[in-house]
Amino acid sequence: MNETDERDIRHLLATYTDLWVRHEMDAWGALFTEDADFITHRGIWWRSRRENVAGHKDVPDAVLAQKGDFTQEVLSIRSVAPDVALVHTAWNWPGHRPRPSAAPEDRRGFVTLLLVRQPDGAWRIRAAHNTRENGLDDFSAR
């Protein structure tokens, strides 16, 4: 992995985070390949860019209003083959309320991404798996 590739991948992931926070899901989806797989923190497996974007658009307004506190940090970028990179990020969402009546909770997690270089030289996300650090489901009794 050369410095240019790493810089380009970090830029893609900064854009990913910015678009996700602003909930610009069509532009966010363009960062993925058409056949991208995305596994959510709740175990839902979307098998295309279209499914991924549609699923991420389906979010209650109360949750959308909280996205401004979300952050994501790149932890590692590794080349696994020519034009293929494995990336791990850590995300943090303090004070998240899954429902307006729920107590706020500080959520953290990790995203594992497989990126591939496209024929035009751009990196795109081919697969992503989001995992919550604390492993609690939104509907857990407390």
Side-chain angles (χ1 to χ4, degrees), residues 35-101:
D35 60 346
D37 292 292
F38 192 104
I39 298 176
T40 72
H41 76 278
R42 295 179 67 204
I44 299 168
W45 184 0
W46 292 314
R47 293 174 172 91
S48 69
R49 176 193 295 172
R50 183 188 55 75
E51 286 181 7
N52 181 22
V53 169
H56 279 96
K57 282 183 175 181
D58 187 24
V59 177
D61 289 340
V63 172
L64 294 179
Q66 302 172 58
K67 278 185 151 187
D69 294 329
F70 179 91
T71 60
Q72 185 168 224
E73 173 188 3
V74 175
L75 300 177
S76 69
I77 301 172
R78 294 189 187 118
S79 176
V80 295
D83 301 327
V84 180
L86 179 65
V87 179
H88 290 94
T89 69
W91 57 266
N92 185 31
W93 196 343
H96 176 71
R97 290 178 187 262
R99 300 172 301 287
S101 62

Side-chain angles (χ1 to χ4, degrees), residues 9-20 31 72 74:
I9 289 169
R10 287 183 181 279
H11 182 270
L12 177 130
L13 293 169
T15 301
Y16 170 109
T17 303
D18 178 60
L19 292 170
W20 193 86
L31 303 175
Q72 185 168 224
V74 175

Side-chain angles (χ1 to χ4, degrees), residues 109-128:
F110 303 98
V111 180
T112 300
L113 302 121
L114 186 69
L115 276 67
V116 294
R117 187 190 328 263
Q118 301 297 286
D120 67 359
W123 288 93
R124 290 292 174 259
I125 301 164
R126 172 57 184 86

